[in-house]
Amino acid sequence: MSIERLSILGSTGSIGVQTLDIVRRYPQRFKVTSLVAHSRWEELAKQAREFEVESVVIGDERHYEALRNALADTNIEVMAGSEAINHVARSYRSDTVVNALVGYAGLHPTYLAIESGKRIALANKETLVVGGDIIMSAARHKGVDIMPIDSEHSAIMQCLEGEQRKAIRNLIITCSGGALRNTPREELESVTPEMALKHPQWSMGAKITIDSATLVNKGFEVIEARWLFDIEPERIKVVVHPQSIVHSMVEFTDGAVKAQLGTADMHTPISYALLYPERAEEAMEQFSILNYPTLTFLDVDREKYPALDIAYEVLHRGGTAPCTMNGANEVAVAAFLAHKCKYTDIVGAIRYALDNASFEKSPTLSIYDDANIESRELARRHLKLDK
Ligand code: NDP
Ligand code: MG
């Protein structure tokens, strides 16, 4: 097998670092050619040396000088800014792009990588939330595989192996319930970032941990599943499963239900996406069912978690509506993390943006850019934030 060249976008983040853990185990199989980060330039320089990459990009141009100096004694090409990220996404230097950026910033690089015929290992769910239609049709057109890294979608993909499409009845996405699972609805108003960041099972980046607490993340995963598996939203169900052992399920027409189980460790779905159709020879941590004698499943409390219904709503509206939800959420989550708004304001900002944004039924990528800017402005206005 020839060596597969990887570009890793978001290499300093939670998924990026775990992707490098997998790559480290398969030096004969993978060669990292480019790494992209946003602000953590020292970590990026360290990774670049270890993996002897050809190029690095730092998204935030203010760190360009520092990064260039840190790598001055190497032949590594150093670039900065979003155009440089796009350049890496398109570059002939890689066969596969691992997109582990966070937020809207992931959309264009995914699209450009598909247009360049590269295989995609996709963690950046915002890509599909915002532009699922455009992205999936570009992938079909180019014959490009999009391998999900999100654990739920990886689980569904594993359950669908060898099955016929017409036999699928429902997809059942599991949900831990996030950090505030046991917090009563009346107390949500006073939740602090520190409380919402304590995810009971998964250790992840800050934004997705807050999205998990509000269930915006689960709503986004419903949208992601709609596009990845080309299935009607009505047939995508969500159940709360506090132990996070069953990563998702598929229900078939004959009444059979398949589930994929394992520890809450992202190394497994990352390695599945990278090595498919093979599997990693060894797990980071072997799973034993005897350690989990009780697995429970509950309905979602839709009043406590209004974001889930909003996600179904934007999915039905289509067009720019999911993009508006995403943009407002990004602003509100950042504000919440900076103690500039309340936890409950996150959904308030999403609602305000959806009620006030312009709507385009058949957007292009540049219309998404406009909708993203508009929704961010609306959220800022609603939250009374400075620019
Ligand atoms: P992190 O916040 O841990 O990492 C994000 C990465 O993207 C970092 O390398 C960061 O750089 C970089 N980055 C952030 N903003 C920008 C920007 N504007 N331009 C370019 N690069 C940027 O996030 P996660 O790893 O947790 O999540 C990444 C994606 O994967 C998200 O879409 C998330 O929803 C999804 N995901 C994550 C899971 C997890 O377990 N963490 C599980 C399933 C999905 P720097 O750190 O240098 O600033
Ligand atoms: Mg997930």
Side-chain angles (χ1 to χ4, degrees):
M1 181 175 291
S2 62
I3 204 147
E4 187 174 333
R5 298 165 309 157
L6 304 179
S7 290
I8 303 177
L9 318 184
S11 64
T12 51
S14 162
I15 296 290
V17 165
Q18 294 177 85
T19 302
L20 290 172
D21 290 342
I22 302 294
V23 170
R24 221 176 257 120
R25 292 184 158 206
Y26 295 91
Q28 313 298 329
R29 171 87 190 248
F30 301 113
K31 168 80 187 119
V32 181
T33 50
S34 305
L35 293 170
V36 172
H38 186 62
S39 58
R40 284 179 266 183
W41 63 270
E42 282 167 300
E43 174 76 12
L44 179 62
K46 220 166 109 203
Q47 293 175 341
R49 282 181 190 278
E50 178 187 345
F51 290 90
E52 297 176 345
V53 302
E54 295 170 19
S55 64
V56 289
V57 178
I58 189 81
D60 184 341
E61 297 179 24
R62 288 172 301 181
H63 304 299
Y64 172 71
E65 285 296 325
L67 181 63
R68 208 189 49 179
N69 291 338
L71 294 172
D73 60 328
T74 70
N75 291 325
I76 300 169
E77 185 183 3
V78 179
M79 297 172 274
S82 53
E83 251 326 297
I85 300 176
N86 291 342
H87 171 72
V88 163
R90 280 192 294 253
S91 161
Y92 63 90
R93 284 174 173 161
S94 69
D95 308 302
T96 296
V97 169
V98 180
N99 188 343
L101 299 176
V102 61
Y104 188 86
L107 176 68
H108 285 269
T110 309
Y111 183 79
L112 294 168
I114 293 170
E115 283 285 287
S116 315
K118 293 180 204 308
R119 191 168 175 270
I120 310 289
L122 189 65
N124 180 262
K125 65 186 75 187
E126 294 87 349
T127 287
L128 292 175
V129 169
V130 172
D133 201 358
I134 291 182
I135 292 291
M136 294 313 289
S137 51
R140 271 192 301 274
H141 180 68
K142 285 280 174 186
V144 154
D145 288 329
I146 299 186
M147 299 297 297
I149 285 181
D150 215 346
S151 58
E152 293 76 3
H153 306 77
S154 177
I156 291 169
M157 190 181 160
Q158 294 178 55
C159 293
L160 289 176
E161 276 291 291
E163 301 290 351
Q164 291 184 322
R165 278 197 62 80
K166 64 177 186 192
I168 305 170
R169 199 169 130 80
N170 289 308
L171 306 183
I172 305 168
I173 298 181
T174 53
C175 163
S176 69
L180 307 173
R181 190 174 63 225
N182 299 321
T183 308
R185 210 185 321 152
E186 315 75 70
E187 290 174 24
L188 292 178
E189 187 92 355
S190 51
V191 161
T192 62
E194 293 69 29
M195 289 157 76
L197 281 170
K198 281 205 188 93
H199 195 286
Q201 267 84 29
W202 297 93
S203 156
M204 310 180 284
K207 189 222 171 218
I208 186 177
T209 307
I210 302 302
D211 288 350
S212 299
T214 56
L215 256 64
V216 163
N217 180 53
K218 215 41 61 177
F220 282 180
E221 290 180 355
V222 169
I223 302 176
E224 198 185 354
R226 185 262 170 271
W227 295 115
L228 277 173
F229 305 111
D230 191 19
I231 191 162
E232 305 90 294
E234 300 72 38
R235 295 204 286 144
I236 308 172
K237 317 281 180 194
V238 176
V239 297
V240 176
H241 167 48
Q243 296 84 13
S244 294
I245 292 301
V246 173
H247 297 311
S248 278
M249 298 176 253
V250 178
E251 187 188 332
F252 295 94
T253 46
D254 63 353
V257 176
K258 278 165 98 176
Q260 187 259 326
L261 283 69
T263 51
D265 179 357
M266 287 306 295
H267 287 102
T268 309
I270 294 170
S271 68
Y272 190 76
L274 288 180
L275 296 165
Y276 181 88
E278 292 173 26
R279 282 184 181 269
E281 288 141 24
E282 214 183 317
M284 288 283 170
E285 183 196 341
Q286 210 61 47
F287 171 69
S288 167
I289 193 82
L290 295 178
N291 292 336
Y292 302 93
T294 312
L295 297 179
T296 50
F297 302 91
L298 311 124
D299 232 340
V300 177
D301 178 345
R302 313 294 269 224
E303 282 178 35
K304 181 175 169 188
Y305 298 111
L308 185 58
D309 284 338
I310 297 179
Y312 279 99
E313 176 194 320
V314 297
L315 192 47
H316 278 113
R317 283 178 69 190
T320 45
C323 179
T324 301
M325 177 179 183
N326 179 69
N329 181 61
E330 284 187 27
V331 168
V333 168
F336 173 64
L337 285 169
H339 297 267
K340 288 183 181 164
C341 75
K342 287 190 296 212
Y343 169 83
T344 41
D345 290 334
I346 299 174
V347 166
I350 293 171
R351 195 67 274 167
Y352 179 83
L354 283 170
D355 291 345
N356 291 284
S358 46
F359 177 75
E360 180 66 53
K361 187 71 194 159
S362 303
T364 57
L365 276 184
S366 83
I367 290 176
Y368 281 130
D369 287 341
D370 296 342
N372 179 46
I373 291 169
E374 183 190 30
S375 66
R376 301 175 81 92
E377 276 168 6
L378 287 167
R380 266 187 225 109
R381 189 194 305 163
H382 179 72
L383 298 171
K384 302 187 173 50
L385 302 173
D386 306 329
K387 282 259 169 178

